[in-house]
Amino acid sequence: QKLDIPLEQAGLGISLYFAAKTAGNFFGALILVKVPPQKFYPVTTAFALVALILTMLFRSPSGILIGIFATGLAVSNIFAVIYSMAISKIPERKNEISGLMMMGIIGGAIIPLFMGLISDLSNQTPTRNKKTAQARAVFSWLPDQVSLRPQGVRIRCPWLSLMTEAC
């Protein structure tokens, strides 16, 4: 949006991001054979932050596309590294850890849906402040619905009457 480039040309950024993620998964697997995850994680996270900041600072389309590629390359292994570090630290809780990681992935798909619903119901074009307020509302409600107990994770979802068995 900030460069007013056509949508077809902007679509190249999505392709570059996922191509970089694919390459990053392959090369990350090779690197993780030699480098322990505890050393790889801070490096790849720092690389991701630098790439993301540079992407926001670039003013040319080619600079932004390079930043998008670098960001995809950097974030490609973060999920696998966090998961493996958590499993190796507490192997007896691998089912709970797996469930929490999946909840995080699913939450990344569901929360934007709720934010869009709230925006549509308000009959107004969302602005940055409204989106922030909507996100705060969702995130302040969400922790009340999940409780960690010694016997496992319990999720309350009274608003899902059809799916109470899953809860």
Side-chain angles (χ1 to χ4, degrees):
Q1 282 181 332
K2 70 180 179 181
L3 296 176
D4 293 326
I5 57 175
L7 186 59
E8 297 81 25
Q9 193 177 7
L12 177 62
I14 296 169
S15 299
L16 283 174
Y17 174 79
F18 285 108
K21 252 187 112 149
T22 302
N25 282 329
F26 176 73
F27 291 118
L30 295 176
I31 292 169
L32 283 167
V33 169
K34 301 279 186 193
V35 179
Q38 292 80 3
K39 290 184 180 179
F40 184 71
Y41 177 69
V43 172
T44 192
T45 303
F47 179 48
L49 288 173
V50 168
L52 192 59
I53 290 168
L54 288 176
T55 302
M56 291 188 294
L57 295 177
F58 283 133
R59 297 285 177 217
S60 70
S62 59
I64 290 173
L65 292 175
I66 290 169
I68 289 171
F69 184 84
T71 302
L73 196 62
V75 301
S76 61
N77 293 296
I78 289 179
F79 175 82
V81 170
I82 291 173
Y83 184 71
S84 68
M85 286 181 358
I87 294 291
S88 67
K89 195 160 201 140
I90 315 170
E92 67 275 3
R93 306 287 304 253
K94 63 183 173 195
N95 290 335
E96 289 89 349
I97 293 169
S98 178
L100 286 172
M101 294 295 277
M102 291 303 113
M103 283 174 51
I105 292 170
I106 293 167
I110 293 174
I111 289 173
L113 173 68
F114 285 130
M115 290 173 63
L117 255 168
I118 292 168
S119 171
D120 290 346
L121 292 173
S122 67
N123 290 329
Q124 295 180 5
T125 305
T127 62
R128 184 171 297 163
N129 293 335
K130 285 184 184 176
K131 284 188 176 185
T132 303
Q134 292 165 357
R136 284 184 183 158
V138 169
F139 286 115
S140 65
W141 169 82
L142 197 59
D144 295 334
Q145 306 307 311
V146 178
S147 61
L148 298 175
R149 299 179 175 193
Q151 62 268 35
V153 178
R154 183 175 185 281
I155 304 171
R156 291 185 315 186
C157 47
W159 44 274
L160 288 176
S161 59
L162 298 176
M163 301 177 75
T164 52
E165 310 86 48
C167 298

